[in-house]
Amino acid sequence: MGVTEDAIREICTDAVFERGENYLTEGRIREIHRVDTTVTAVVSGSRQYDVRVDFAADGFDPWCNCPYDGPGACKHVVAVLLRCLNDLPADEGDRLDAALDAADPDALREFFREALATDAALREQFFASFGESSTRSVDELRAAIDRRFEETNPEYYVVFEPIDFSEWFDLADEYRKQGRDASAAAVYRALVESLDDNMERVDGAYDHFSRAFTRALDGYVDCAAAADREADGATDAVAFLEERIESGTPYLADQFERATADLKEELVDGSDG
């Protein structure tokens, strides 16, 4: 599947590679599964961490919910990749396909409907994937993201560890793939608002939160411009960013200023084209 020691070393530091080796030797991988080219695992550290890698993606597209915010991948990801180098998990993709093919359509529909009825995030992803309108407003999306901050460290106001925002970035990506820029912009705006307002709580993993904020802000500019070129909402998008320059986290003001200028430029370029 294209995994080699050299390829693993390319995505981490030497020190992290050594720690990953130690974690593998110590048997810290508690659970590991593969479907097609995607491997998911649970690795034991100071607590249990979830890891995901994709062997079909450039650089394995590694993800882990640990607090590591240094350069490259973390030791948990490295341990999983090294495990795959030596002992690749069996592919459960064929078994999954066979079960889906054999399932009674009505029973399968009932199963998925029940899952969708009890999981708002999954339901929103389903609507996005199959062309339905979003069921959540910016305020509702933002409230869900705020809850993630509150749940991360419930006994304290301060947040020390990274928060996994992939649920919302994946949702925005799905809307963008379908050309539904206004819906994607709403998701990005919810992320921007929540990250901006909660940044004072962050006391660790600064690079992680900074990257998430920049990604959300850039996504908002791109999608707001695409959605608003022929709509009356363009002024609203610019006004939102300008308001945040004054009222948001002070050290993010420069980013909001840059985003405002970029949005105005994109809107002008779009009207000229």
Side-chain angles (χ1 to χ4, degrees), residues 207-222:
D207 287 348
H208 168 82
F209 288 100
S210 178
R211 286 193 298 268
F213 176 79
T214 300
R215 179 181 175 186
L217 189 61
D218 290 347
Y220 178 70
V221 168
D222 290 343

Side-chain angles (χ1 to χ4, degrees), residues 3 78 141 214:
V3 57
V78 171
L141 289 161
T214 300

